[in-house]
Coordinates of all heavy atoms in Angstrom, one line a residue:
M280 N 44.3 -3.2 -142.5 CA 43.7 -3.0 -141.2 C 44.6 -2.4 -140.3 O 45.9 -2.6 -140.3 CB 43.2 -4.3 -140.5 CG 42.1 -4.9 -141.2 SD 41.5 -6.3 -140.2 CE 39.9 -6.6 -140.8
N281 N 44.2 -1.5 -139.4 CA 45.1 -0.8 -138.4 C 45.2 -1.7 -137.2 O 44.4 -2.6 -137.0 CB 44.6 0.5 -138.1 CG 43.3 0.6 -137.5 OD1 42.9 -0.4 -136.9 ND2 42.6 1.7 -137.7
A282 N 46.1 -1.4 -136.5 CA 46.5 -2.1 -135.2 C 45.4 -2.1 -134.2 O 45.2 -3.1 -133.4 CB 47.8 -1.6 -134.5
I283 N 44.7 -1.0 -134.0 CA 43.6 -1.0 -133.1 C 42.5 -2.1 -133.4 O 41.9 -2.7 -132.6 CB 43.1 0.4 -133.0 CG1 44.1 1.3 -132.3 CG2 41.8 0.5 -132.2 CD1 43.8 2.7 -132.3
L284 N 42.2 -2.0 -134.7 CA 41.1 -3.0 -135.1 C 41.5 -4.5 -135.0 O 40.8 -5.2 -134.6 CB 40.8 -2.8 -136.7 CG 39.8 -3.7 -137.2 CD1 38.4 -3.6 -136.4 CD2 39.5 -3.5 -138.7
W285 N 42.9 -4.8 -135.2 CA 43.4 -6.1 -135.0 C 43.3 -6.4 -133.5 O 43.0 -7.5 -133.1 CB 44.8 -6.2 -135.4 CG 44.9 -6.5 -136.9 CD1 45.5 -5.7 -137.8 CD2 44.5 -7.6 -137.5 NE1 45.5 -6.3 -139.1 CE2 44.9 -7.6 -138.9 CE3 44.0 -8.9 -137.0 CZ2 44.6 -8.5 -139.8 CZ3 43.7 -9.9 -138.0 CH2 44.0 -9.7 -139.3
Q286 N 43.5 -5.4 -132.6 CA 43.4 -5.8 -131.1 C 42.1 -6.0 -130.7 O 41.8 -6.8 -129.9 CB 44.0 -4.6 -130.4 CG 45.6 -4.4 -130.4 CD 46.1 -3.2 -129.8 OE1 45.4 -2.2 -129.6 NE2 47.3 -3.3 -129.3
K287 N 41.2 -5.3 -131.3 CA 39.7 -5.5 -131.0 C 39.3 -6.9 -131.4 O 38.5 -7.6 -130.7 CB 38.9 -4.3 -131.5 CG 39.0 -3.0 -130.8 CD 38.1 -2.0 -131.6 CE 38.3 -0.6 -130.7 NZ 37.4 0.4 -131.3
L288 N 39.7 -7.2 -132.7 CA 39.4 -8.6 -133.2 C 40.0 -9.6 -132.3 O 39.4 -10.7 -132.0 CB 39.7 -8.6 -134.6 CG 39.0 -7.8 -135.6 CD1 39.6 -8.0 -137.0 CD2 37.5 -8.3 -135.7
E289 N 41.2 -9.4 -131.9 CA 41.9 -10.4 -131.1 C 41.2 -10.6 -129.6 O 40.9 -11.6 -129.2 CB 43.3 -10.0 -130.8 CG 44.1 -10.9 -129.8 CD 45.4 -10.3 -129.3 OE1 45.6 -9.1 -129.2 OE2 46.3 -11.1 -129.0
G290 N 40.7 -9.4 -129.1 CA 40.0 -9.5 -127.8 C 38.7 -10.2 -128.0 O 38.4 -10.9 -127.1
A291 N 38.0 -9.9 -129.1 CA 36.7 -10.6 -129.3 C 36.9 -12.1 -129.5 O 36.1 -12.9 -128.9 CB 36.0 -9.9 -130.5
A292 N 37.9 -12.4 -130.2 CA 38.2 -13.9 -130.4 C 38.5 -14.6 -129.1 O 38.0 -15.7 -128.8 CB 39.3 -14.0 -131.4
V293 N 39.3 -13.9 -128.3 CA 39.7 -14.6 -127.0 C 38.5 -14.6 -126.1 O 38.2 -15.7 -125.5 CB 40.9 -13.8 -126.3 CG1 41.0 -14.4 -124.9 CG2 42.1 -13.8 -127.1
F294 N 37.7 -13.7 -126.0 CA 36.4 -13.6 -125.2 C 35.6 -14.7 -125.6 O 35.1 -15.5 -124.8 CB 35.7 -12.2 -125.4 CG 34.4 -12.2 -124.8 CD1 34.3 -12.0 -123.4 CD2 33.3 -12.2 -125.6 CE1 33.0 -12.0 -122.8 CE2 32.0 -12.1 -125.0 CZ 31.9 -12.0 -123.6
V295 N 35.2 -14.8 -126.8 CA 34.3 -15.9 -127.3 C 34.8 -17.3 -127.1 O 34.2 -18.1 -126.7 CB 33.9 -15.6 -128.7 CG1 33.1 -16.8 -129.4 CG2 33.1 -14.4 -128.9
S296 N 36.1 -17.5 -127.5 CA 36.9 -18.7 -127.2 C 36.8 -19.1 -125.8 O 36.5 -20.3 -125.5 CB 38.2 -18.7 -127.8 OG 38.2 -18.4 -129.2
A297 N 37.1 -18.2 -125.0 CA 37.2 -18.6 -123.4 C 35.8 -18.9 -122.9 O 35.7 -19.8 -122.1 CB 37.9 -17.4 -122.7
L298 N 34.8 -18.2 -123.3 CA 33.5 -18.5 -122.8 C 33.0 -19.8 -123.4 O 32.2 -20.6 -122.6 CB 32.5 -17.4 -123.1 CG 32.8 -16.0 -122.3 CD1 31.7 -15.0 -122.6 CD2 32.9 -16.2 -120.9
V299 N 33.3 -20.1 -124.6 CA 32.8 -21.4 -125.1 C 33.7 -22.5 -124.4 O 33.1 -23.5 -124.1 CB 33.1 -21.4 -126.7 CG1 33.1 -22.8 -127.3 CG2 32.2 -20.5 -127.4
A300 N 34.9 -22.3 -124.2 CA 35.8 -23.3 -123.5 C 35.2 -23.6 -122.1 O 35.1 -24.6 -121.6 CB 37.1 -22.9 -123.5
Y301 N 34.7 -22.4 -121.4 CA 34.2 -22.5 -120.0 C 32.9 -23.4 -120.1 O 32.7 -24.3 -119.3 CB 33.9 -21.2 -119.5 CG 33.0 -21.2 -118.3 CD1 33.5 -21.5 -117.0 CD2 31.7 -20.9 -118.3 CE1 32.8 -21.6 -115.9 CE2 30.8 -21.1 -117.2 CZ 31.4 -21.4 -116.0 OH 30.6 -21.6 -114.8
W302 N 32.1 -23.0 -121.1 CA 30.8 -23.7 -121.2 C 31.0 -25.1 -121.4 O 30.2 -26.1 -121.0 CB 29.9 -23.1 -122.4 CG 28.7 -23.6 -122.6 CD1 27.6 -23.7 -121.7 CD2 28.3 -24.5 -123.7 NE1 26.5 -24.3 -122.3 CE2 27.0 -24.8 -123.5 CE3 28.9 -24.9 -124.9 CZ2 26.2 -25.6 -124.4 CZ3 28.2 -25.5 -125.8 CH2 26.9 -25.9 -125.6
L303 N 32.0 -25.6 -122.2 CA 32.3 -27.0 -122.6 C 32.9 -27.7 -121.4 O 32.9 -28.9 -121.4 CB 33.2 -27.0 -123.9 CG 32.5 -26.6 -125.1 CD1 33.5 -26.6 -126.3 CD2 31.3 -27.4 -125.5
T304 N 33.7 -27.0 -120.6 CA 34.5 -27.8 -119.6 C 34.1 -27.6 -118.1 O 34.6 -28.2 -117.2 CB 35.9 -27.4 -119.8 OG1 36.1 -26.0 -119.5 CG2 36.6 -27.6 -121.0
S305 N 33.0 -26.7 -117.9 CA 32.8 -26.2 -116.6 C 32.0 -27.4 -115.8 O 32.0 -27.4 -114.6 CB 31.8 -25.1 -116.5 OG 30.6 -25.3 -117.0
N306 N 31.3 -28.3 -116.4 CA 30.6 -29.3 -115.8 C 29.5 -28.7 -114.6 O 29.3 -29.4 -113.7 CB 31.4 -30.3 -115.2 CG 32.2 -31.2 -116.2 OD1 31.8 -31.4 -117.2 ND2 33.5 -31.5 -115.8
E307 N 29.2 -27.6 -114.9 CA 28.2 -26.9 -114.1 C 28.6 -26.9 -112.6 O 27.8 -27.1 -111.7 CB 26.8 -27.5 -114.3 CG 26.3 -27.4 -115.7 CD 25.0 -28.0 -115.8 OE1 24.2 -28.2 -114.8 OE2 24.7 -28.4 -116.9
E308 N 29.9 -26.6 -112.3 CA 30.4 -26.6 -111.0 C 30.1 -25.3 -110.3 O 30.1 -25.1 -109.1 CB 31.9 -26.7 -111.0 CG 32.4 -28.2 -111.5 CD 33.7 -28.5 -111.0 OE1 34.2 -28.1 -110.0 OE2 34.3 -29.4 -111.7
L309 N 29.9 -24.2 -111.1 CA 29.5 -22.9 -110.6 C 28.1 -22.5 -110.9 O 27.5 -22.8 -111.9 CB 30.4 -21.8 -111.0 CG 31.8 -21.8 -110.6 CD1 32.6 -20.7 -111.5 CD2 32.0 -21.5 -109.3
A310 N 27.4 -21.9 -109.9 CA 26.1 -21.4 -110.2 C 26.3 -20.1 -111.2 O 27.4 -19.6 -111.2 CB 25.4 -20.8 -108.9
W311 N 25.2 -19.9 -111.9 CA 25.5 -18.8 -113.0 C 25.9 -17.5 -112.4 O 26.8 -16.8 -112.9 CB 24.1 -18.6 -113.8 CG 23.0 -18.2 -113.2 CD1 22.1 -18.7 -112.4 CD2 22.8 -16.6 -112.8 NE1 21.3 -17.9 -111.7 CE2 21.7 -16.7 -112.1 CE3 23.4 -15.5 -113.3 CZ2 21.1 -15.4 -111.7 CZ3 22.8 -14.3 -112.9 CH2 21.7 -14.2 -112.1
W312 N 25.3 -17.2 -111.2 CA 25.7 -15.9 -110.6 C 27.2 -15.9 -110.1 O 27.8 -14.8 -110.1 CB 24.8 -15.6 -109.4 CG 24.6 -16.6 -108.3 CD1 23.8 -17.6 -108.3 CD2 25.4 -16.8 -107.3 NE1 24.0 -18.4 -107.3 CE2 25.0 -17.9 -106.6 CE3 26.6 -16.0 -106.8 CZ2 25.7 -18.4 -105.4 CZ3 27.2 -16.4 -105.6 CH2 26.7 -17.6 -104.9
A313 N 27.6 -17.0 -109.7 CA 29.1 -17.2 -109.3 C 30.0 -16.9 -110.3 O 31.1 -16.3 -110.3 CB 29.3 -18.4 -108.5
A314 N 29.6 -17.6 -111.6 CA 30.4 -17.4 -112.8 C 30.4 -16.0 -113.2 O 31.5 -15.4 -113.6 CB 29.8 -18.4 -113.9
V315 N 29.3 -15.2 -113.1 CA 29.3 -13.7 -113.5 C 30.2 -13.0 -112.5 O 31.0 -12.2 -112.9 CB 27.9 -13.3 -113.5 CG1 27.8 -11.8 -113.5 CG2 27.0 -13.8 -114.5
L316 N 30.1 -13.3 -111.2 CA 31.0 -12.6 -110.2 C 32.4 -12.8 -110.5 O 33.3 -11.9 -110.5 CB 30.7 -13.0 -108.8 CG 29.3 -12.5 -108.2 CD1 29.1 -13.1 -106.8 CD2 29.4 -11.0 -108.2
W317 N 32.9 -14.1 -110.8 CA 34.2 -14.4 -111.1 C 34.6 -13.8 -112.4 O 35.8 -13.3 -112.5 CB 34.4 -15.9 -111.1 CG 35.9 -16.3 -111.2 CD1 36.6 -16.6 -112.3 CD2 36.8 -16.2 -110.2 NE1 37.9 -16.8 -112.0 CE2 38.1 -16.6 -110.7 CE3 36.7 -15.9 -108.8 CZ2 39.3 -16.6 -110.0 CZ3 37.9 -16.0 -108.1 CH2 39.1 -16.4 -108.7
F318 N 33.8 -13.7 -113.4 CA 34.1 -13.0 -114.5 C 34.6 -11.6 -114.4 O 35.4 -11.2 -115.1 CB 32.9 -13.1 -115.7 CG 33.2 -12.4 -116.9 CD1 33.9 -13.2 -117.9 CD2 32.8 -11.2 -117.2 CE1 34.2 -12.7 -119.2 CE2 33.1 -10.6 -118.4 CZ 33.7 -11.3 -119.4
F319 N 33.9 -11.0 -113.5 CA 34.2 -9.5 -113.2 C 35.1 -9.3 -112.0 O 35.6 -8.2 -111.7 CB 32.9 -8.8 -113.0 CG 32.0 -8.5 -114.2 CD1 30.9 -9.2 -114.4 CD2 32.5 -7.6 -115.2 CE1 30.1 -9.1 -115.5 CE2 31.8 -7.5 -116.4 CZ 30.6 -8.2 -116.5
A320 N 35.7 -10.4 -111.5 CA 36.6 -10.3 -110.4 C 37.9 -9.5 -110.7 O 38.3 -8.8 -109.9 CB 37.0 -11.7 -109.8
P321 N 38.4 -9.6 -111.7 CA 39.7 -8.8 -112.0 C 39.5 -7.3 -112.0 O 40.5 -6.6 -111.7 CB 40.0 -9.2 -113.6 CG 39.4 -10.5 -113.8 CD 38.2 -10.5 -112.9
D322 N 38.3 -6.8 -112.1 CA 38.1 -5.4 -111.9 C 38.1 -5.0 -110.6 O 38.3 -3.8 -110.3 CB 36.7 -5.0 -112.6 CG 36.7 -5.2 -114.1 OD1 37.7 -5.0 -114.7 OD2 35.6 -5.4 -114.7
L323 N 38.1 -5.9 -109.5 CA 38.4 -5.4 -108.2 C 39.7 -5.0 -108.0 O 40.1 -4.2 -107.0 CB 38.1 -6.6 -107.2 CG 36.6 -7.1 -107.3 CD1 36.5 -8.3 -106.3 CD2 35.7 -5.9 -106.7
S324 N 40.7 -5.2 -108.9 CA 42.0 -4.7 -108.8 C 42.2 -3.2 -109.0 O 43.2 -2.6 -108.6 CB 43.0 -5.4 -109.9 OG 42.5 -5.0 -111.2
F325 N 41.0 -2.6 -109.3 CA 40.9 -1.1 -109.3 C 41.2 -0.5 -107.9 O 41.7 0.6 -107.8 CB 39.7 -0.5 -109.9 CG 38.6 -0.7 -109.0 CD1 38.2 0.4 -108.0 CD2 37.7 -1.7 -109.0 CE1 37.2 0.3 -107.2 CE2 36.6 -1.8 -108.2 CZ 36.4 -0.8 -107.2
A326 N 41.0 -1.3 -106.8 CA 41.2 -0.9 -105.5 C 42.6 -0.6 -105.3 O 43.1 0.3 -104.3 CB 40.8 -1.9 -104.5
A327 N 43.5 -1.0 -106.1 CA 45.1 -0.7 -105.9 C 45.2 0.8 -106.2 O 46.3 1.3 -105.7 CB 45.8 -1.5 -107.0
Y328 N 44.3 1.5 -106.8 CA 44.4 2.9 -107.0 C 44.3 3.6 -105.7 O 44.7 4.9 -105.6 CB 43.4 3.5 -108.0 CG 43.7 3.2 -109.4 CD1 43.3 2.2 -110.2 CD2 44.7 4.1 -110.1 CE1 43.6 1.9 -111.4 CE2 45.2 3.9 -111.4 CZ 44.6 2.8 -112.1 OH 44.9 2.5 -113.3
L329 N 43.8 3.1 -104.7 CA 43.9 3.7 -103.4 C 45.2 4.0 -102.9 O 45.4 4.9 -102.0 CB 43.1 2.8 -102.3 CG 41.6 2.6 -102.6 CD1 41.0 1.6 -101.6 CD2 40.8 4.0 -102.5
A330 N 46.1 3.2 -103.4 CA 47.6 3.5 -103.0 C 48.3 4.4 -104.0 O 49.5 4.6 -103.8 CB 48.4 2.1 -102.9
G331 N 47.6 5.0 -104.8 CA 48.2 6.0 -105.8 C 48.1 5.5 -107.2 O 47.8 4.4 -107.4
A332 N 48.2 6.4 -108.1 CA 48.0 6.2 -109.6 C 49.0 5.2 -110.1 O 48.7 4.3 -110.8 CB 48.1 7.5 -110.4
R333 N 50.3 5.2 -109.6 CA 51.3 4.4 -110.2 C 51.1 3.0 -109.6 O 51.0 2.0 -110.4 CB 52.7 4.8 -109.7 CG 53.8 4.2 -110.2 CD 55.1 4.7 -109.7 NE 56.2 4.2 -110.5 CZ 57.0 4.9 -111.3 NH1 56.8 6.2 -111.4 NH2 57.9 4.4 -112.0
V334 N 50.8 2.8 -108.5 CA 50.6 1.5 -107.9 C 49.2 0.9 -108.5 O 49.1 -0.3 -108.7 CB 50.4 1.5 -106.3 CG1 50.0 0.1 -105.7 CG2 51.8 1.9 -105.7
G335 N 48.3 1.8 -108.6 CA 47.0 1.4 -109.1 C 47.1 0.8 -110.5 O 46.6 -0.2 -110.8
A336 N 47.8 1.6 -111.3 CA 48.0 1.1 -112.8 C 48.7 -0.1 -112.7 O 48.4 -1.0 -113.5 CB 48.7 2.2 -113.5
L337 N 49.8 -0.3 -112.0 CA 50.5 -1.5 -112.0 C 49.6 -2.7 -111.5 O 49.7 -3.8 -112.1 CB 51.7 -1.4 -111.0 CG 52.6 -2.7 -110.8 CD1 53.4 -3.0 -112.2 CD2 53.6 -2.5 -109.8
G338 N 48.9 -2.6 -110.5 CA 48.0 -3.7 -110.0 C 46.9 -4.0 -110.9 O 46.6 -5.2 -111.1
Y339 N 46.3 -3.0 -111.4 CA 45.2 -3.2 -112.5 C 45.8 -3.9 -113.6 O 45.1 -4.9 -114.2 CB 44.5 -1.9 -112.8 CG 43.3 -2.0 -113.6 CD1 42.1 -2.4 -113.0 CD2 43.3 -2.0 -114.9 CE1 41.0 -2.4 -113.8 CE2 42.1 -2.1 -115.7 CZ 40.9 -2.4 -115.1 OH 39.8 -2.6 -116.0
N340 N 46.7 -3.5 -114.2 CA 47.4 -4.1 -115.4 C 48.0 -5.4 -115.2 O 47.9 -6.3 -116.1 CB 48.4 -3.2 -116.0 CG 47.8 -1.7 -116.6 OD1 46.6 -1.8 -116.8 ND2 48.6 -0.8 -116.7
A341 N 48.3 -5.7 -114.0 CA 49.0 -7.0 -113.7 C 47.9 -8.2 -113.8 O 48.3 -9.3 -114.2 CB 49.5 -7.0 -112.3
V342 N 46.7 -7.9 -113.4 CA 45.7 -8.9 -113.6 C 44.9 -8.8 -114.9 O 44.0 -9.8 -115.0 CB 44.7 -8.9 -112.3 CG1 45.5 -9.2 -111.1 CG2 43.9 -7.6 -112.4
H343 N 45.1 -8.0 -115.7 CA 44.5 -7.8 -117.0 C 45.3 -8.2 -118.1 O 45.4 -7.6 -119.0 CB 43.9 -6.4 -117.2 CG 42.7 -6.2 -116.4 ND1 42.7 -5.7 -115.0 CD2 41.3 -6.3 -116.8 CE1 41.4 -5.7 -114.6 NE2 40.6 -5.9 -115.7
V344 N 46.0 -9.3 -117.9 CA 46.7 -10.0 -119.0 C 46.4 -11.4 -119.2 O 45.7 -12.0 -118.3 CB 48.2 -10.0 -118.6 CG1 48.9 -8.5 -118.6 CG2 48.5 -10.7 -117.4
Y345 N 46.4 -11.9 -120.5 CA 46.0 -13.2 -120.8 C 46.7 -14.3 -120.1 O 46.2 -15.3 -119.6 CB 46.3 -13.5 -122.3 CG 45.3 -12.7 -123.2 CD1 45.9 -12.1 -124.4 CD2 44.1 -12.4 -122.9 CE1 45.1 -11.5 -125.2 CE2 43.3 -11.6 -123.7 CZ 43.8 -11.2 -124.9 OH 43.0 -10.5 -125.6
G346 N 48.0 -14.0 -119.7 CA 48.9 -15.0 -119.0 C 48.3 -15.4 -117.6 O 48.5 -16.5 -117.2
F347 N 47.5 -14.5 -116.9 CA 47.1 -14.8 -115.6 C 46.0 -15.9 -115.8 O 46.0 -16.8 -115.0 CB 46.5 -13.5 -114.9 CG 46.3 -13.7 -113.5 CD1 47.3 -13.4 -112.6 CD2 45.1 -14.1 -113.0 CE1 47.2 -13.5 -111.2 CE2 44.9 -14.3 -111.6 CZ 45.9 -14.0 -110.7
G348 N 45.1 -15.7 -116.6 CA 44.1 -16.7 -116.8 C 44.6 -18.0 -117.4 O 44.3 -19.1 -117.0
V349 N 45.7 -18.0 -118.2 CA 46.2 -19.1 -118.7 C 47.0 -19.9 -117.6 O 46.9 -21.2 -117.5 CB 47.3 -18.8 -119.9 CG1 48.2 -20.1 -120.2 CG2 46.5 -18.4 -121.1
A350 N 47.6 -19.2 -116.6 CA 48.2 -19.8 -115.6 C 47.3 -20.5 -114.6 O 47.6 -21.6 -114.1 CB 49.1 -18.8 -114.6
V351 N 46.1 -19.9 -114.4 CA 45.1 -20.6 -113.6 C 44.6 -21.9 -114.2 O 44.5 -22.9 -113.6 CB 43.9 -19.6 -113.3 CG1 42.8 -20.3 -112.5 CG2 44.4 -18.4 -112.4
I352 N 44.3 -21.8 -115.5 CA 44.0 -23.0 -116.4 C 45.0 -24.1 -116.1 O 44.7 -25.2 -116.0 CB 43.7 -22.7 -117.8 CG1 42.5 -21.7 -117.9 CG2 43.5 -23.9 -118.6 CD1 42.3 -21.1 -119.2
A353 N 46.3 -23.6 -116.5 CA 47.4 -24.7 -116.4 C 47.5 -25.3 -115.0 O 47.6 -26.5 -114.9 CB 48.7 -24.0 -116.8
G354 N 47.4 -24.4 -114.0 CA 47.4 -25.0 -112.6 C 46.3 -26.0 -112.4 O 46.5 -27.1 -111.7
G355 N 45.1 -25.6 -112.9 CA 44.0 -26.5 -112.7 C 44.1 -27.8 -113.4 O 43.8 -28.9 -112.9
L356 N 44.7 -27.8 -114.6 CA 45.0 -29.0 -115.3 C 46.1 -29.8 -114.7 O 46.1 -31.1 -114.6 CB 45.4 -28.7 -116.8 CG 44.3 -28.1 -117.6 CD1 44.9 -27.6 -119.0 CD2 43.1 -29.1 -118.0
I357 N 47.2 -29.2 -114.3 CA 48.2 -29.9 -113.6 C 47.8 -30.6 -112.4 O 48.2 -31.7 -112.1 CB 49.5 -29.0 -113.4 CG1 50.1 -28.5 -114.7 CG2 50.5 -29.6 -112.4 CD1 51.1 -27.4 -114.6
F358 N 47.0 -29.9 -111.6 CA 46.7 -30.5 -110.3 C 45.3 -31.1 -110.3 O 44.7 -31.5 -109.2 CB 46.7 -29.3 -109.1 CG 48.1 -28.8 -108.9 CD1 48.4 -27.6 -109.4 CD2 49.1 -29.6 -108.2 CE1 49.7 -27.0 -109.1 CE2 50.3 -29.1 -108.1 CZ 50.7 -27.8 -108.4
G359 N 44.8 -31.3 -111.4 CA 43.4 -32.1 -111.6 C 42.3 -31.4 -110.8 O 41.5 -32.1 -110.2
C360 N 42.2 -30.1 -111.0 CA 41.1 -29.3 -110.3 C 40.3 -28.7 -111.4 O 40.5 -27.5 -111.9 CB 41.8 -28.2 -109.4 SG 40.5 -27.3 -108.5
P361 N 39.1 -29.2 -111.7 CA 38.3 -28.7 -112.8 C 37.7 -27.4 -112.5 O 37.5 -26.5 -113.4 CB 37.1 -29.8 -112.9 CG 37.6 -31.0 -112.1 CD 38.7 -30.5 -111.3
L362 N 37.5 -27.0 -111.2 CA 37.0 -25.8 -110.8 C 38.0 -24.7 -111.2 O 37.6 -23.6 -111.7 CB 36.7 -25.7 -109.3 CG 36.1 -24.3 -108.8 CD1 34.9 -24.0 -109.5 CD2 35.9 -24.5 -107.4
A363 N 39.2 -24.9 -110.9 CA 40.3 -23.9 -111.2 C 40.4 -23.7 -112.7 O 40.6 -22.6 -113.2 CB 41.6 -24.4 -110.7
V364 N 40.1 -24.7 -113.6 CA 40.2 -24.6 -115.0 C 39.1 -23.8 -115.4 O 39.2 -22.9 -116.2 CB 40.1 -26.1 -115.7 CG1 40.0 -25.9 -117.2 CG2 41.3 -26.9 -115.3
A365 N 37.8 -24.0 -114.9 CA 36.7 -23.2 -115.1 C 36.8 -21.8 -114.8 O 36.5 -20.9 -115.6 CB 35.5 -23.8 -114.5
L366 N 37.4 -21.5 -113.6 CA 37.7 -20.2 -113.2 C 38.8 -19.5 -114.1 O 38.7 -18.3 -114.4 CB 38.1 -20.1 -111.7 CG 37.2 -20.5 -110.7 CD1 37.7 -20.6 -109.3 CD2 35.8 -19.7 -110.8
G367 N 39.7 -20.3 -114.6 CA 40.8 -19.7 -115.4 C 40.1 -19.3 -116.8 O 40.5 -18.2 -117.3
W368 N 39.2 -20.1 -117.3 CA 38.6 -19.7 -118.6 C 37.8 -18.4 -118.4 O 37.8 -17.5 -119.3 CB 37.6 -20.8 -119.0 CG 38.4 -22.0 -119.6 CD1 38.2 -23.3 -119.3 CD2 39.2 -21.9 -120.7 NE1 39.1 -24.0 -120.1 CE2 39.8 -23.2 -121.0 CE3 39.7 -20.9 -121.6 CZ2 40.6 -23.6 -122.1 CZ3 40.6 -21.2 -122.7 CH2 41.1 -22.5 -122.9
L369 N 37.1 -18.2 -117.3 CA 36.3 -17.0 -117.0 C 37.3 -15.8 -116.9 O 37.0 -14.8 -117.4 CB 35.5 -17.2 -115.8 CG 34.2 -18.1 -115.9 CD1 33.7 -18.3 -114.6 CD2 33.2 -17.5 -116.9
W370 N 38.4 -16.0 -116.3 CA 39.4 -15.0 -116.0 C 40.0 -14.5 -117.5 O 40.1 -13.3 -117.7 CB 40.4 -15.3 -115.1 CG 41.2 -14.1 -114.5 CD1 42.1 -13.4 -115.1 CD2 41.2 -13.8 -113.1 NE1 42.6 -12.4 -114.3 CE2 42.0 -12.6 -113.0 CE3 40.4 -14.2 -112.0 CZ2 42.2 -12.0 -111.8 CZ3 40.7 -13.5 -110.8 CH2 41.5 -12.4 -110.7
L371 N 40.3 -15.5 -118.2 CA 40.8 -15.3 -119.5 C 39.9 -14.6 -120.4 O 40.2 -13.7 -121.2 CB 41.3 -16.6 -120.1 CG 41.9 -16.5 -121.5 CD1 43.3 -15.8 -121.5 CD2 42.2 -17.9 -122.1
G372 N 38.5 -15.0 -120.2 CA 37.6 -14.3 -121.1 C 37.4 -12.8 -120.7 O 36.9 -12.0 -121.5
H373 N 37.7 -12.5 -119.5 CA 37.4 -11.2 -118.9 C 38.3 -10.2 -119.8 O 38.0 -9.2 -120.2 CB 37.8 -11.0 -117.6 CG 37.7 -9.6 -117.1 ND1 36.5 -9.1 -116.6 CD2 38.6 -8.7 -116.8 CE1 36.8 -7.9 -116.3 NE2 38.0 -7.5 -116.4

């Protein structure tokens, strides 16, 4: 298998796993429409392109890493905030 296929499989596995984890741990704290909005929230980082291509790419790529969602999940677990855990799973799944 080539590297691109592996990346696609990895992305699909993270997506499915994160959404299942959200579903199992969310306790219905968010309305469905709020969950959808939060799922797509990282795409708002495209606004950084208003400051130029270099800044835009840096801003967009900074929030499109697995580590950001994992950090939100970890913060929610450490501070006992189930809503943050749920939001982290959605961000990770994005």
Side-chain angles (χ1 to χ4, degrees):
M280 286 188 167
N281 62 27
I283 293 173
L284 180 58
W285 275 112
Q286 288 176 333
K287 289 181 180 183
L288 291 172
E289 175 191 31
V293 170
F294 172 74
V295 170
S296 299
L298 291 185
V299 167
Y301 167 77
W302 180 70
L303 292 173
T304 63
S305 70
N306 296 326
E307 299 179 25
E308 294 199 28
L309 288 175
W311 69 268
W312 56 269
V315 170
L316 286 177
W317 187 260
F318 180 82
F319 289 108
D322 288 332
L323 294 176
S324 62
F325 75 87
Y328 279 98
L329 294 172
R333 186 180 195 115
V334 173
L337 180 67
Y339 187 84
N340 291 335
V342 299
H343 282 85
V344 295
Y345 293 143
F347 196 89
V349 170
V351 174
I352 294 166
L356 291 172
I357 290 168
F358 294 107
C360 182
L362 179 60
V364 174
L366 295 177
W368 284 122
L369 289 172
W370 200 290
L371 183 65
H373 174 84

